[in-house]
Amino acid sequence: MTSAPRNVPASAVSAAAGPATNAATTGKSAGRAARNTGYKCSECGWQAVKWVGRCGECQQWGTLLEVGAATAAMPAAGPVTAAAVPIGEIDASAATALPTGNPEFDRVLGGGLVPGSVTLLAGEPGIGKSTLLISALASCAGNGATVLYITGEESAAQVRMRAERVGALHPALYLAAESDLGAVLSHIDAVAPDVLVVDSIQTLSHPLVDGAAGGVNHVREVAAALTRVAKTRGLACLLVGHVTKDGAIAGPRVLEHLVDVVLHIEGDRHTRLRLLRAVKNRFGAADEVGCFEMGDDGMWAVADPHGLFVSRLPEPVAGTCVTVALEGRRPLLVEVQALVAAAASSVPRRATQGVDSARIAMLLAVLERRVGARLADREVYVSTVGGVRLTEPASDLAVALAVASASWQQPLPPGTVAVGEVGLAGEIRNVVGAQKRLAEAARLGMRRAIVPAGTSAATAAADTGLVVVQASDVRDALAAVRTAD
Ligand code: TYD
Ligand code: MG
């Protein structure tokens, strides 16, 4: 927190106090601060003496709110909701998670929906938020919970049609199309649900707040009101939120602080895979990932998703290598494909999909300089299978092997999996979760794993029938796959 004297601009202090002593300066400025209320951005905390329409720091419109009055006086002691008791005497049964019945959704939530909690499900428009919720909540209703679904974006008839298509018609699933918070509160009173869904928070307007629904103030106030209702009635509340192009949840940041769980749903719109990621979770692991497949009849949990990211080619093909990516805490087998072709112009093309292009440029330079691969005058294409994004450096070695294999036009030995971060000197660095990755590779029938030298899990994995080859640099790794049978 900024202390009171600092609210006064430095220029004002020196102008008022001149060359006076420190004690005099502090006394005068403190007196001023108590009278001066000032304005603060609700998004980023930027402060201004006068009100302005746009925040000077985060450039958001209409986020400046008056502050200062609240800090001026000490509030009087007031009534309490419940007396403080020793922590061991608090009844925790009221906060036991209610499983939704959808295994992947429950896994990400950390067991299920906790009564009294607020969960924010964020994702781009059209990614499948409503589809996921309607089917997860129908199964939740099937478990005995009463669910109230408030739709502000689609009409009730549209949601019913979708629910019918995905097989989510259940008598305990109530539906209402509303865009006013007051009306939603009346529905809550009438239905008394265990689970409330608001699709989406941006379409609800607060009767006491000025401006259009979806604005910063509306979103914050509606979320705050629903949070209070959730806590007092002990109902699990799910809010759907749209994200902007750059991935931020539209509306104020405070929304993320206000809620207990933040889930992001991601995926490439052109593929069927959707990943549900817990970004914040007060009731479970914050790095859990759930896999779903978008079909014609809804969004279905994929318990064993490895088949989605690995092509099933009848014959080994040059330029492909499998790696084990760790998505949150879950190991996923992912295939990297590379193609090296003669350049059609003096500036050879490099195109990537699912992998960072700057990282690929670095790996190509390492292959060129440390191994002597001829790539500078050839076109290089690198892609993942199934639209998955590889963000970890642990996939470097698989990319390097795929590119090398493409440039030799020689397939890697079948069943090869590679894990390791490649440094600029061509060295292979250790990765986190090696044990988990190797266990998954062995479980899925991979035969040979190329791992960084000194991987402690290497010996343990050898028992599973997986041949583990430790390589200290890219040259070693390439030699290992070339000499293999
Ligand atoms: P939707 O759940 O409406 O997205 P959101 O609520 O995140 O905006 O999903 C819309 C997309 O999903 C739309 O492009 C159609 C597709 N879809 C399917 O592929 N299968 C289905 O069973 C359903 C209901 C939708
Ligand atoms: Mg929707």
Side-chain angles (χ1 to χ4, degrees), residues 316-347:
V317 172
T320 69
C321 183
V322 174
T323 187
V324 191
L326 214 51
E327 278 294 339
R329 305 201 291 160
R330 174 176 216 162
L332 283 181
L333 224 57
V334 178
E335 183 176 319
V336 181
Q337 298 191 331
L339 188 68
V340 175
S345 70
S346 57
V347 185

Short mmCIF file of all heavy atoms in Angstrom, two decimals, residues 316-347:
data_model
loop_
_atom_site.label_atom_id
_atom_site.label_comp_id
_atom_site.label_asym_id
_atom_site.label_seq_id
_atom_site.Cartn_x
_atom_site.Cartn_y
_atom_site.Cartn_z
N PRO A 316 7.44 -46.23 -41.05
CA PRO A 316 8.15 -45.09 -40.48
C PRO A 316 8.50 -44.07 -41.58
O PRO A 316 8.86 -44.46 -42.68
CB PRO A 316 9.44 -45.71 -39.90
CG PRO A 316 9.28 -47.17 -39.98
CD PRO A 316 8.16 -47.49 -40.92
N VAL A 317 8.32 -42.80 -41.27
CA VAL A 317 8.57 -41.75 -42.26
C VAL A 317 9.69 -40.85 -41.76
O VAL A 317 9.74 -40.54 -40.56
CB VAL A 317 7.27 -40.93 -42.48
CG1 VAL A 317 7.52 -39.71 -43.35
CG2 VAL A 317 6.19 -41.81 -43.08
N ALA A 318 10.57 -40.43 -42.65
CA ALA A 318 11.65 -39.53 -42.26
C ALA A 318 11.06 -38.21 -41.79
O ALA A 318 10.08 -37.73 -42.36
CB ALA A 318 12.58 -39.30 -43.45
N GLY A 319 11.65 -37.63 -40.75
CA GLY A 319 11.21 -36.31 -40.29
C GLY A 319 10.18 -36.33 -39.21
O GLY A 319 9.57 -35.31 -38.92
N THR A 320 9.94 -37.48 -38.56
CA THR A 320 8.99 -37.47 -37.44
C THR A 320 9.69 -37.99 -36.19
O THR A 320 10.53 -38.88 -36.26
CB THR A 320 7.75 -38.35 -37.72
OG1 THR A 320 8.17 -39.70 -37.73
CG2 THR A 320 7.08 -38.01 -39.02
N CYS A 321 9.37 -37.38 -35.08
CA CYS A 321 9.92 -37.84 -33.80
C CYS A 321 8.89 -37.59 -32.72
O CYS A 321 8.19 -36.58 -32.74
CB CYS A 321 11.21 -37.08 -33.48
SG CYS A 321 11.99 -37.66 -31.97
N VAL A 322 8.79 -38.51 -31.79
CA VAL A 322 7.79 -38.39 -30.71
C VAL A 322 8.48 -37.87 -29.45
O VAL A 322 9.61 -38.22 -29.16
CB VAL A 322 7.13 -39.76 -30.45
CG1 VAL A 322 6.20 -39.70 -29.26
CG2 VAL A 322 6.37 -40.22 -31.70
N THR A 323 7.80 -37.00 -28.72
CA THR A 323 8.30 -36.54 -27.44
C THR A 323 7.20 -36.72 -26.39
O THR A 323 6.06 -36.99 -26.76
CB THR A 323 8.74 -35.07 -27.52
OG1 THR A 323 9.36 -34.71 -26.28
CG2 THR A 323 7.58 -34.12 -27.78
N VAL A 324 7.57 -36.60 -25.13
CA VAL A 324 6.54 -36.65 -24.09
C VAL A 324 6.49 -35.26 -23.47
O VAL A 324 7.42 -34.84 -22.79
CB VAL A 324 6.83 -37.70 -23.01
CG1 VAL A 324 5.61 -37.90 -22.12
CG2 VAL A 324 7.26 -39.00 -23.62
N ALA A 325 5.42 -34.53 -23.74
CA ALA A 325 5.27 -33.19 -23.18
C ALA A 325 4.58 -33.31 -21.84
O ALA A 325 3.77 -34.21 -21.64
CB ALA A 325 4.44 -32.34 -24.13
N LEU A 326 4.91 -32.44 -20.93
CA LEU A 326 4.24 -32.44 -19.63
C LEU A 326 3.29 -31.25 -19.62
O LEU A 326 3.71 -30.11 -19.51
CB LEU A 326 5.29 -32.33 -18.53
CG LEU A 326 5.03 -33.05 -17.22
CD1 LEU A 326 4.67 -34.49 -17.42
CD2 LEU A 326 6.24 -32.94 -16.33
N GLU A 327 2.01 -31.53 -19.80
CA GLU A 327 1.00 -30.47 -19.77
C GLU A 327 0.48 -30.39 -18.36
O GLU A 327 -0.30 -31.23 -17.94
CB GLU A 327 -0.14 -30.80 -20.74
CG GLU A 327 0.15 -30.45 -22.17
CD GLU A 327 0.29 -28.95 -22.37
OE1 GLU A 327 -0.22 -28.18 -21.54
OE2 GLU A 327 0.92 -28.56 -23.37
N GLY A 328 0.93 -29.40 -17.64
CA GLY A 328 0.59 -29.36 -16.23
C GLY A 328 1.26 -30.53 -15.56
O GLY A 328 2.47 -30.66 -15.58
N ARG A 329 0.46 -31.46 -15.04
CA ARG A 329 1.07 -32.62 -14.37
C ARG A 329 0.86 -33.87 -15.20
O ARG A 329 1.10 -34.97 -14.73
CB ARG A 329 0.44 -32.78 -13.00
CG ARG A 329 0.58 -31.49 -12.24
CD ARG A 329 0.45 -31.66 -10.79
NE ARG A 329 -0.87 -32.00 -10.36
CZ ARG A 329 -1.13 -32.56 -9.19
NH1 ARG A 329 -0.15 -32.89 -8.40
NH2 ARG A 329 -2.34 -32.81 -8.81
N ARG A 330 0.37 -33.67 -16.42
CA ARG A 330 -0.03 -34.83 -17.20
C ARG A 330 0.92 -35.05 -18.38
O ARG A 330 1.10 -34.16 -19.20
CB ARG A 330 -1.41 -34.50 -17.72
CG ARG A 330 -1.95 -35.47 -18.65
CD ARG A 330 -3.34 -35.04 -18.97
NE ARG A 330 -4.16 -36.18 -19.13
CZ ARG A 330 -5.48 -36.17 -19.07
NH1 ARG A 330 -6.09 -35.07 -18.82
NH2 ARG A 330 -6.16 -37.25 -19.26
N PRO A 331 1.54 -36.23 -18.47
CA PRO A 331 2.41 -36.48 -19.61
C PRO A 331 1.60 -36.80 -20.86
O PRO A 331 0.65 -37.56 -20.80
CB PRO A 331 3.25 -37.67 -19.16
CG PRO A 331 2.49 -38.31 -18.07
CD PRO A 331 1.48 -37.35 -17.54
N LEU A 332 1.96 -36.19 -21.98
CA LEU A 332 1.24 -36.41 -23.24
C LEU A 332 2.25 -36.76 -24.32
O LEU A 332 3.23 -36.06 -24.50
CB LEU A 332 0.55 -35.12 -23.69
CG LEU A 332 -0.74 -34.67 -23.02
CD1 LEU A 332 -1.22 -33.40 -23.66
CD2 LEU A 332 -1.79 -35.75 -23.14
N LEU A 333 1.96 -37.82 -25.04
CA LEU A 333 2.82 -38.21 -26.15
C LEU A 333 2.47 -37.34 -27.36
O LEU A 333 1.32 -37.31 -27.77
CB LEU A 333 2.55 -39.68 -26.47
CG LEU A 333 3.74 -40.58 -26.71
CD1 LEU A 333 4.66 -40.54 -25.51
CD2 LEU A 333 3.29 -42.00 -26.97
N VAL A 334 3.46 -36.62 -27.87
CA VAL A 334 3.19 -35.71 -28.99
C VAL A 334 4.21 -35.96 -30.10
O VAL A 334 5.40 -36.12 -29.83
CB VAL A 334 3.31 -34.22 -28.53
CG1 VAL A 334 3.09 -33.28 -29.69
CG2 VAL A 334 2.34 -33.92 -27.41
N GLU A 335 3.72 -36.00 -31.32
CA GLU A 335 4.63 -36.21 -32.45
C GLU A 335 4.99 -34.87 -33.09
O GLU A 335 4.13 -34.03 -33.31
CB GLU A 335 3.93 -37.10 -33.48
CG GLU A 335 4.81 -37.43 -34.65
CD GLU A 335 4.12 -38.40 -35.62
OE1 GLU A 335 3.46 -39.35 -35.15
OE2 GLU A 335 4.24 -38.18 -36.83
N VAL A 336 6.28 -34.72 -33.39
CA VAL A 336 6.76 -33.52 -34.10
C VAL A 336 7.09 -33.97 -35.52
O VAL A 336 7.74 -35.00 -35.71
CB VAL A 336 8.03 -32.95 -33.43
CG1 VAL A 336 8.50 -31.71 -34.16
CG2 VAL A 336 7.79 -32.67 -31.97
N GLN A 337 6.63 -33.21 -36.50
CA GLN A 337 6.94 -33.55 -37.89
C GLN A 337 7.75 -32.43 -38.53
O GLN A 337 7.46 -31.26 -38.29
CB GLN A 337 5.65 -33.73 -38.68
CG GLN A 337 4.79 -34.86 -38.15
CD GLN A 337 3.65 -35.21 -39.06
OE1 GLN A 337 3.15 -34.37 -39.79
NE2 GLN A 337 3.23 -36.46 -39.03
N ALA A 338 8.74 -32.80 -39.31
CA ALA A 338 9.57 -31.79 -39.98
C ALA A 338 9.72 -32.16 -41.44
O ALA A 338 9.69 -33.34 -41.81
CB ALA A 338 10.92 -31.70 -39.31
N LEU A 339 9.85 -31.14 -42.26
CA LEU A 339 10.07 -31.35 -43.68
C LEU A 339 11.17 -30.39 -44.11
O LEU A 339 11.09 -29.19 -43.80
CB LEU A 339 8.78 -31.05 -44.44
CG LEU A 339 8.77 -31.41 -45.91
CD1 LEU A 339 8.80 -32.91 -46.09
CD2 LEU A 339 7.52 -30.85 -46.58
N VAL A 340 12.19 -30.92 -44.76
CA VAL A 340 13.28 -30.08 -45.26
C VAL A 340 13.26 -30.22 -46.77
O VAL A 340 13.31 -31.32 -47.30
CB VAL A 340 14.64 -30.53 -44.67
CG1 VAL A 340 15.78 -29.73 -45.28
CG2 VAL A 340 14.63 -30.39 -43.15
N ALA A 341 13.12 -29.08 -47.48
CA ALA A 341 12.99 -29.14 -48.93
C ALA A 341 13.92 -28.13 -49.58
O ALA A 341 14.39 -27.20 -48.92
CB ALA A 341 11.54 -28.82 -49.31
N ALA A 342 14.16 -28.30 -50.86
CA ALA A 342 15.02 -27.36 -51.59
C ALA A 342 14.34 -25.99 -51.60
O ALA A 342 13.12 -25.89 -51.73
CB ALA A 342 15.21 -27.85 -53.01
N ALA A 343 15.15 -24.93 -51.43
CA ALA A 343 14.58 -23.59 -51.37
C ALA A 343 14.16 -23.12 -52.75
O ALA A 343 14.87 -23.34 -53.72
CB ALA A 343 15.59 -22.62 -50.77
N ALA A 344 12.99 -22.47 -52.80
CA ALA A 344 12.50 -21.98 -54.08
C ALA A 344 12.97 -20.55 -54.32
O ALA A 344 12.87 -20.03 -55.42
CB ALA A 344 10.98 -22.04 -54.10
N SER A 345 13.48 -19.89 -53.27
CA SER A 345 13.96 -18.52 -53.45
C SER A 345 15.26 -18.36 -52.67
O SER A 345 15.69 -19.28 -51.97
CB SER A 345 12.91 -17.54 -52.94
OG SER A 345 12.86 -17.63 -51.53
N SER A 346 15.86 -17.18 -52.79
CA SER A 346 17.14 -16.97 -52.11
C SER A 346 16.97 -16.87 -50.59
O SER A 346 17.91 -17.06 -49.85
CB SER A 346 17.81 -15.72 -52.65
OG SER A 346 16.92 -14.64 -52.47
N VAL A 347 15.73 -16.55 -50.14
CA VAL A 347 15.48 -16.55 -48.69
C VAL A 347 14.60 -17.76 -48.39
O VAL A 347 13.40 -17.75 -48.61
CB VAL A 347 14.75 -15.25 -48.27
CG1 VAL A 347 14.61 -15.20 -46.75
CG2 VAL A 347 15.47 -14.03 -48.78
#
